[in-house]
Amino acid sequence: AAQEQRIDPFLLGAILIDEYSRLGWDDWFDWLSALNLKDTSVGIAQIKLSTAKEIIKKQYYNPAPKKITAKSPSLQIWFYLYQPEHSIQFSAAAIRLSIDFWKTKKVDISKQNKVLAYLYSAGYTKDGKGATKKRCLQISTEFYQMAKSWLL
């Protein structure tokens, strides 16, 4: 997924470690997003349904191009987000979306892991001021090194 989206594989791994470690009892209610009752995060990469629809719409990733569009029923997209192989692909696409968005603003964030970690959960259009949060620092240092040791 990282190679396809031309992103740092260790950053993708670090974000996945962070998101997976945050899964809890409230994730049992993720299925509410499939019913359009709530825009919750889904799957091991904790991608919001609205983010997945935007990724599909902007053609960063589509798990079933002839079957799914950004206007497909939420339940249909939810089932793909729940599958780890698609969740990871959506995660990589979300990182690429952030990089590309800021590139249009003449800002290169492709190597700014703290900023990318922040934008992953805050939304790609936010400014990077929140990148100093403890969570972003942990992703870009501790979890990044953990992913690197596992993937090398």
Side-chain angles (χ1 to χ4, degrees), residues 28 39 98:
W28 287 97
D39 188 24
S98 292

Side-chain angles (χ1 to χ4, degrees), residues 7-126:
I7 62 166
D8 183 340
F10 308 124
L11 176 62
L12 175 60
I15 287 174
L16 292 170
I17 291 168
D18 176 68
E19 294 297 342
Y20 187 74
S21 70
R22 294 175 175 282
L23 288 174
W25 68 270
D26 58 334
D27 294 301
W28 287 97
F29 296 106
D30 283 350
W31 57 271
L32 290 173
S33 63
L35 302 174
N36 276 337
L37 299 175
K38 191 176 177 188
D39 188 24
T40 61
S41 300
V42 181
I44 63 168
Q46 293 294 284
I47 299 289
K48 285 191 174 193
L49 191 58
S50 60
T51 302
K53 287 182 175 190
E54 188 163 2
I55 287 168
I56 292 169
K57 181 180 178 182
K58 293 185 181 216
Q59 300 180 354
Y60 279 84
Y61 176 72
N62 187 334
K66 297 187 184 215
K67 295 180 182 178
I68 293 180
T69 70
K71 294 182 180 184
S72 292
S74 297
L75 182 60
Q76 187 180 13
I77 295 171
W78 185 90
F79 278 114
Y80 284 99
L81 285 173
Y82 200 73
Q83 297 173 44
E85 63 272 19
H86 294 301
S87 189
I88 292 167
Q89 291 285 350
F90 275 106
S91 181
I95 295 167
R96 170 51 56 194
L97 182 60
S98 292
I99 292 168
D100 289 352
F101 174 80
W102 285 100
K103 190 175 188 177
T104 66
K105 308 279 186 207
K106 309 265 190 268
V107 178
D108 182 9
I109 61 167
S110 62
K111 305 263 190 265
Q112 296 181 35
N113 292 342
K114 288 184 285 190
V115 172
L116 288 165
Y118 172 72
L119 296 175
Y120 185 82
S121 58
Y124 70 95
T125 62
K126 304 286 188 206

